[in-house]
Amino acid sequence: MTDIADLADAPEVPVEPSPEREVAARRLYLVDGSGYIFRAYHALPPLTRPDGTPVGAVLGFSNMLYKLLQETDADHIAVVFDAAAKTFRNRIYDKYKANRPEPPEDLIPQFALVREATDAFSVPRIERDDYEADDLIAAYAKAAVEAGATVTVVSSDKDLMQLVTDKVQLLDPIKNRPIGAPEVKEKFGVGPEQVIDVQALAGDSVDNVPGVPGIGVKTAAELITTYGDLENLLKHAPEIKQPKRRQNLIEFAEQARISKKLVTLEANIPLPLPLEALEVKPLDRAKVTAFLQEQSFRTLLTRIDGKLKGNGAAPSAASASGPTTPVAVKPAAAHAVKPAPAGAMAVAIPAHLADAKQHYELVQDQKALESWIARATAQGFLAIDTETSSLDAMRAELVGVSMALAPGIACYVPLAHKAAVEGLDLGDGGGKAGDLKQIRFDAAIGLLKPLLEDASVLKIGHNIKYDVQVFERHGIRTAPIDDTLLLSFVLEGGQHGHGLDELAELHFQHQTIKYKDVAGSGKGHIGFAAVPLDKARDYAAEDADYTLRFHELLRPRLIEAHMVTFYETVERPLVPVIAEMERAGILVDRVRLKELSEDFARRMGELEREIHKLAGHEFNVGSPKQLGDVLFEELKLPGGKKMKTGAYGTDAAVLEELATQHPLPARVLDWRQLQKLKSTYADTLMEEINPTTGRVHTTYSQAGAVTGRLSSNDPNLQNIPVRTEEGRKIRRAFVAAPGHLLLSADYSQIELRLAAHVADVPALKEAFKRGDDIHAMTASEVFGVPMAKMDPITRRRAKAINFGIIYGISAFGLAQQLQIPHGEAAAYIKAYFERFPGIRAYMDRMRQLGREQGFVETIFGRRCAIPGIKDSNPARRAFAERQAINAPLQGSAADIIKRAMARVPPALAKAGLKTRMLLQVHDELIFEAPEPEAKAAAALVKEVMEGAVGPSHAISVPLVVETGAAQNWEEAH
């Protein structure tokens, strides 16, 4: 990205390239691809990608090609490869290159990858069946010279030295040394024009060119210098004084002629690509980044990314008002770096991001919008944001769109504003909305659709899932995308919030314009469609502008933190998947919900009467203060503690402890559960049914929990109780569409399995591999009870320990859960650790890592911040230590199901199945499947989910997924 410099002093440059422009070649560089590959292979030690693919030669090739692109003065360039082992020369001489050994085994898979590398660096790639790369190089050199260009062949291959002229030179890519006529004569003893005659006589043992026996390069050069060329030499062969040499020249004359045909490059062949197609193109940032990330070339990616940001020519936009005009851009110098101020995060902010002047434009006519779209398309990326009428993407009306092309350069395109704007020049574009001039809505959508669907243009957003959904409702499938909210979350999850306003203040010390400042709040809220356009422009364009700045700041930090692969394989692919789930929604039975609400209300009334009878008088059961007074003032129950408000604490933990001493607290707990089910689910779900789709559409957040777990809101479908009959009744209200079944796929005991893996507990790992009842096995190991004689109570205690341990449960907590004495609980935990010492070692290790690093990691590398682990408050510190123990397990489980979610939809589509993924609830996925394909869908989903970890992060225990299908969620689970 370029700096937007002092516009008055900057030389003007054209903003919009002409697509019809053809540039005549002046300097053509032709790279010998095979030479690059083998030089790279022998120059670097063996290297492999995380998946085991050898990539040493690919890295060397990429480094050499990028270096050349940075240093060359070429205006046209190509890399030329051999297409096949056999060519027309094998028909001339069937033993040609017959002695060449097979390439090294670890080099073979790299041939295709270096071709991908060439494409990734936007360099034309040339090869043609029946011809060698050297022939194609000769043909392009000839064409370029005839067109008036000079040519540099990037190779030190002796076979190419015959091409050297005053217009064609070779360049040794290792020594960076030009090879002209003097260097050719130094090697062959003759000038370039006589090289093929010398080679014909001397032959080539590597390529199995026979030549004339007994004649080497030095002798051949002497003979050719004396006789001029091969034919004249053969004509005068009887005159040669040396008997053996004379005899061989006469006897092997035809062999010499064949050898000359073999070494002569064929320049008179049709060109696979026209010369003008080899014009040098700027690096496509998205393309080269994707390739280097896939190969795990972090150092090269860092270097290239820094260079692109330092010197890349990003088109600028016009000033903040008026018609679109070119803005002069100065070539960027090395960016100064501003240190973060005291108290801020220790992240240096490049000056071109911090100091970019704001130039925000109001785009009100079609021509201006077309110009912005053309510039975005040309540079291959933009930041984009939508302004709407609602936070509910399924119901929101699109009011406008903002775009940013460079730091400080952004625009706002109003589409559905309804209020007149006094004192603002509205221009002369488009149709009207009320008395407000703006681009006709359907025309703007028609212009934006190709840009947003263009696979070569990266769309950057902050929480872009929302924008993807809004555009989808207008027939636009936005891709590819990048999300700065997720970039921030992957880098610094748990350390701070990741909203746009907070990040702007955190990284840039910039106070953004707040929504309420332009659209009002409470009774004064006017809706964004009524916001004056000058205010709408500044608010909306600023959001796009800072989204782009975040992207330039945070994207490179992924490389530094070694989080690129994690972001690209876990978080980014999930955005369109979750957007599709949210759009799909799930059917709920309104009649059943209404019946449940009425039933809950009736039972709450019965409980209230019972509670009042136990208290001796009526009071508001829902009032914590009145309840506290009843419990601790009137009934004199022990343990009452007043809060800062002066009221007694009456949370669930307090009531559960009191319930062992008096029936009233137990009845209150029952009442509260019914009240929550009624208000949070039965009543709310009815209100949340979308009138258009008839379904409930939850909203998922990928950045909701430090462990990476998804959170569900509006409504929250992840906290419906499943251990009570009342909670299960709510699940029965979630139903399949007619002719369909709901399919549940649930990871079985995934966190326990991960604990066995990361703690390396042989007994637990073997039990999982055998498919044993893990709780019975644990009970047998810890309590010494044979599994054949296992009783339910002992198994239940082992189950409580198994699940409690991975949450860092204490003896006090276990005692409460099992309703046993503290000493007995402590003995159970002690026995558990003695039998499974690896678990204790794991817990100690995570506490230590949390203290030393401030975070722990999942098996995929997600960092889970543990900010309170050094807290002076023992309670807060103990809570943080429990987080440190559980986060790697819960986080790894979250990563695994996210990986599965990204893989399941394409697997279903590839299999021709119409099954749709609807919900994710922690370790469970819910699908809606046409009844005839439910069985096949279940098998496929199970296969994909169980294989979601992949070979690069193989775990030592099997993952098991249990599936079920039924008309409603509860029966399917």
Side-chain angles (χ1 to χ4, degrees):
M1 304 287 289
T2 56
D3 279 9
I4 304 304
D6 183 349
L7 302 182
D9 297 335
E12 280 201 1
V13 295
V15 175
E16 298 182 52
S18 170
E20 296 80 24
R21 178 173 61 100
E22 289 186 4
V23 178
R26 296 185 303 276
R27 292 283 289 145
L28 170 64
Y29 271 55
L30 297 165
V31 179
D32 175 9
S34 296
Y36 255 34
I37 295 169
F38 282 95
R39 281 185 176 271
Y41 177 78
H42 293 293
L44 289 177
L47 300 171
T48 59
R49 290 192 316 209
D51 64 1
T53 302
V55 289
V58 185
L59 175 58
F61 179 96
S62 301
N63 274 316
M64 293 164 69
L65 184 58
Y66 178 64
K67 182 175 184 290
L68 178 67
L69 291 172
Q70 294 301 299
E71 297 176 353
T72 180
D73 59 349
D75 48 69
H76 288 65
I77 191 169
V79 178
V80 189
F81 293 96
D82 291 319
K86 292 187 179 296
T87 67
F88 73 92
R89 290 181 175 84
N90 294 98
R91 295 193 294 275
I92 296 172
Y93 183 63
D94 61 359
K95 296 179 182 178
Y96 178 70
K97 291 191 175 181
N99 295 339
R100 281 205 170 185
E102 288 295 318
E105 187 174 338
D106 62 334
L107 180 58
I108 293 172
Q110 302 188 64
F111 290 137
L113 289 175
V114 296
R115 286 166 167 78
E116 290 183 29
T118 307
D119 297 341
F121 280 92
S122 301
V123 177
R125 172 166 54 89
I126 299 170
E127 51 191 300
R128 180 169 181 162
D129 286 337
D130 210 36
Y131 294 94
E132 295 181 50
D134 292 357
D135 298 312
L136 292 165
I137 289 172
Y140 275 98
K142 178 184 177 185
V145 170
E146 289 175 351
T150 58
V151 178
T152 296
V153 178
V154 185
S155 176
S156 58
D157 187 350
K158 65 182 188 307
D159 296 335
L160 290 165
M161 291 184 179
Q162 61 187 271
L163 301 178
V164 171
T165 66
D166 59 338
K167 295 289 187 179
V168 180
Q169 70 168 5
L170 270 61
L171 177 66
D172 186 328
I174 300 300
K175 299 178 181 178
N176 199 30
R177 179 177 67 98
I179 300 174
E183 288 77 19
V184 173
K185 188 166 185 176
E186 180 182 344
K187 182 170 184 64
F188 283 102
V190 296
E193 68 280 3
Q194 294 178 311
V195 163
I196 56 176
D197 292 307
V198 170
Q199 287 183 299
L201 287 171
D204 187 341
S205 60
V206 175
D207 289 346
N208 211 34
V209 176
V212 175
I215 296 181
V217 171
K218 184 177 180 181
T219 301
E222 292 173 355
L223 291 171
I224 294 301
T225 299
T226 302
Y227 291 94
D229 59 40
L230 179 65
E231 282 304 321
N232 194 46
L233 168 64
L234 296 178
K235 180 180 178 180
H236 292 89
E239 302 171 8
I240 299 298
K241 295 178 181 180
Q242 295 85 353
K244 184 63 175 177
R245 186 179 302 172
R246 181 174 62 247
Q247 180 184 347
N248 285 346
L249 283 170
I250 295 171
E251 183 178 345
F252 295 98
E254 192 55 32
Q255 187 167 289
R257 292 186 176 97
I258 291 174
S259 297
K260 184 170 182 177
K261 290 181 181 179
L262 296 177
V263 299
T264 300
L265 300 182
E266 180 55 76
N268 298 312
I269 58 176
L271 304 181
L273 291 174
L275 194 61
E276 57 267 24
L278 310 188
E279 183 182 357
V280 171
K281 301 178 181 67
L283 283 184
D284 181 325
R285 187 175 190 175
K287 188 192 297 183
V288 73
T289 297
F291 174 79
L292 296 177
Q293 287 172 345
E294 184 179 358
Q295 312 312 318
S296 297
F297 295 164
R298 298 185 182 92
T299 302
L300 179 57
L301 180 55
T302 302
R303 189 162 75 248
I304 291 176
D305 204 55
K307 188 73 172 179
L308 285 173
K309 288 187 303 213
N311 295 316
S316 65
S319 58
S321 61
T324 303
T325 55
V327 175
V329 179
K330 281 185 176 179
H335 291 136
V337 175
K338 279 193 162 185
M345 296 187 63
V347 178
I349 309 298
H352 79 291
L353 296 181
D355 297 338
K357 297 177 182 178
Q358 293 182 351
H359 299 280
Y360 296 163
E361 178 187 345
L362 192 61
V363 175
Q364 296 172 271
D365 62 79
Q366 189 164 320
K367 183 178 179 182
L369 178 57
E370 288 171 347
S371 177
W372 277 85
I373 290 172
R375 296 197 296 276
T377 303
Q379 77 174 23
F381 65 92
L382 76 158
I384 193 156
D385 189 33
T386 56
E387 300 303 334
T388 64
S389 62
S390 168
L391 293 177
D392 182 350
M394 291 298 298
R395 307 188 193 197
E397 297 176 1
L398 181 59
V399 176
V401 174
S402 58
M403 297 183 283
L405 299 182
I409 304 300
C411 72
Y412 177 60
V413 187
L415 298 176
H417 282 256
K418 297 182 174 67
V421 182
E422 297 180 5
L424 184 68
D425 181 7
L426 298 177
D428 57 356
K432 293 184 178 182
D435 60 355
L436 176 62
K437 292 181 180 180
Q438 52 198 325
I439 304 171
R440 197 175 70 250
F441 190 94
D442 58 348
I445 292 296
L447 291 172
L448 289 167
K449 180 179 171 69
L451 171 68
L452 296 177
E453 295 184 343
D454 190 334
S456 68
V457 179
L458 179 68
K459 274 67 70 172
I460 304 162
H462 196 80
N463 189 27
I464 199 170
K465 174 168 64 69
Y466 176 87
D467 308 288
V468 166
Q469 295 221 65
V470 171
F471 286 130
E472 172 68 25
R473 290 177 53 228
H474 294 282
I476 299 173
R477 304 282 295 187
T478 309
I481 56 92
D482 228 346
D483 193 326
T484 49
L485 182 146
L486 294 180
L487 287 173
S488 178
F489 177 63
V490 166
L491 289 166
E492 296 169 350
Q495 297 182 34
H496 53 75
H498 305 281
L500 190 143
D501 294 343
E502 183 171 347
L503 293 183
E505 184 172 0
L506 177 68
H507 293 304
F508 295 99
Q509 295 75 58
H510 175 77
Q511 291 285 339
T512 55
I513 303 169
K514 303 302 184 285
Y515 179 80
K516 63 181 179 62
D517 294 336
V518 295
S521 60
K523 293 181 180 180
H525 181 248
I526 61 175
F528 203 80
V531 173
L533 289 194
D534 56 345
K535 291 185 176 180
R537 173 199 63 207
D538 293 345
Y539 169 81
E542 182 184 61
D543 280 359
D545 175 14
Y546 274 85
T547 296
L548 188 65
R549 298 189 200 211
F550 297 154
H551 192 260
E552 289 205 30
L553 178 68
L554 299 176
R555 229 343 173 141
R557 289 184 54 206
L558 283 182
I559 302 169
E560 300 165 12
H562 305 292
M563 295 294 289
V564 173
T565 299
F566 178 84
Y567 173 75
E568 294 291 351
T569 60
V570 177
E571 295 295 358
R572 185 161 79 151
L574 210 57
V575 174
V577 173
I578 295 178
E580 186 61 40
M581 289 168 60
E582 293 178 359
R583 278 195 298 272
I586 187 167
L587 278 174
V588 292
D589 188 329
R590 185 188 290 271
V591 173
R592 184 173 295 180
L593 286 176
K594 189 172 186 298
E595 292 172 349
L596 283 174
S597 179
E598 293 171 350
D599 179 58
F600 292 152
R602 177 185 59 79
R603 291 168 61 192
M604 286 171 63
E606 293 174 355
L607 283 169
E608 282 183 10
R609 288 190 288 275
E610 185 177 353
I611 291 167
H612 293 159
K613 185 177 180 180
L614 289 168
H617 62 87
E618 292 187 2
F619 69 97
N620 183 356
V621 178
S623 167
K625 184 179 187 308
Q626 293 184 35
L627 175 62
D629 290 343
V630 168
L631 293 173
F632 301 112
E633 299 287 350
E634 299 175 17
L635 298 178
K636 307 296 183 183
L637 294 177
K641 293 182 180 179
K642 288 193 173 184
M643 314 301 286
K644 291 181 179 179
T645 60
Y648 288 100
T650 59
D651 62 18
V654 171
L655 296 182
E656 286 171 358
E657 187 171 352
L658 294 175
T660 62
Q661 305 173 50
H662 196 281
L664 188 148
R667 300 291 81 76
V668 172
L669 284 170
D670 293 339
W671 182 89
R672 283 184 179 179
Q673 183 188 47
L674 291 174
Q675 190 270 341
K676 180 176 182 179
L677 288 171
K678 182 180 186 302
S679 62
T680 305
Y681 298 110
D683 296 344
T684 299
L685 283 172
M686 285 190 285
E687 296 171 1
E688 291 286 349
I689 296 174
N690 186 294
T692 302
T693 67
R695 290 173 171 249
V696 169
H697 303 265
T698 188
T699 298
Y700 285 104
S701 171
Q702 288 177 248
V706 67
T707 59
R709 270 193 170 188
L710 295 182
S711 62
S712 164
N713 297 286
D714 303 322
N716 182 351
L717 301 182
Q718 294 187 326
N719 289 340
I720 301 174
V722 294
R723 297 178 182 176
T724 65
E725 177 58 28
E726 286 74 17
R728 289 193 287 271
K729 287 178 181 177
I730 295 290
R731 286 198 170 200
R732 289 183 197 126
F734 290 81
V735 297
H740 292 69
L741 294 174
L742 289 185
L743 168 63
S744 167
D746 192 3
Y747 281 111
S748 172
Q749 302 172 330
I750 187 170
E751 289 185 31
L752 274 179
R753 293 171 186 270
L754 291 169
H757 167 69
V758 299
D760 192 21
V761 183
L764 292 177
K765 291 196 293 186
E766 289 303 316
F768 279 123
K769 289 176 182 178
R770 290 192 303 267
D772 290 350
D773 178 335
I774 199 67
H775 303 309
M777 190 282 295
T778 300
S780 178
E781 293 282 345
V782 173
F783 304 125
V785 180
M787 290 183 66
K789 298 181 179 180
M790 188 62 58
D791 62 277
I793 294 177
T794 304
R795 183 186 180 279
R796 185 174 72 86
R797 290 180 175 180
K799 182 177 180 179
I801 298 173
N802 272 333
F803 285 116
I805 287 294
I806 62 176
Y807 286 93
I809 197 169
S810 64
F812 176 78
L814 184 63
Q816 281 194 314
Q817 187 171 332
L818 295 178
Q819 297 296 300
I820 59 177
H822 179 274
E824 187 177 347
Y828 286 166
I829 292 177
K830 181 181 178 183
Y832 187 93
F833 286 146
E834 287 175 350
R835 184 62 193 87
F836 304 125
I839 296 289
R840 164 79 79 177
Y842 162 77
M843 295 170 70
D844 291 342
R845 187 166 68 251
M846 290 304 103
R847 292 189 190 98
Q848 184 64 25
L849 281 175
R851 282 190 289 270
E852 291 175 355
Q853 302 176 156
F855 64 86
V856 291
E857 292 183 313
T858 69
I859 62 175
F860 297 93
R862 181 194 296 278
R863 292 184 175 181
C864 304
I866 313 294
I869 201 160
K870 293 183 179 180
D871 200 295
S872 58
N873 181 291
R876 287 195 290 266
R877 187 171 63 252
F879 176 76
E881 288 177 347
R882 291 193 294 274
Q883 280 186 308
I885 293 166
N886 178 247
L889 306 177
Q890 189 180 103
S892 294
D895 294 345
I896 288 170
I897 201 166
K898 282 183 172 181
R899 288 167 66 93
M901 290 170 69
R903 290 159 173 75
V904 166
L908 290 169
K910 184 178 180 181
L913 300 177
K914 297 180 180 179
T915 297
R916 297 191 299 172
M917 187 161 59
L918 307 184
L919 299 178
Q920 188 256 40
V921 182
H922 304 314
D923 303 328
E924 179 185 15
L925 296 178
I926 307 298
F927 301 82
E928 188 173 59
E931 197 162 347
E933 72 178 45
K935 186 175 180 180
L940 180 58
V941 168
K942 176 181 172 69
E943 178 185 355
V944 174
M945 290 177 68
E946 290 182 346
V949 172
S952 60
H953 295 87
I955 59 175
S956 54
V957 293
L959 295 182
V960 174
V961 171
E962 298 173 345
T963 63
Q967 293 293 333
N968 65 68
W969 183 7
E970 165 58 20
E971 293 176 2
H973 184 71

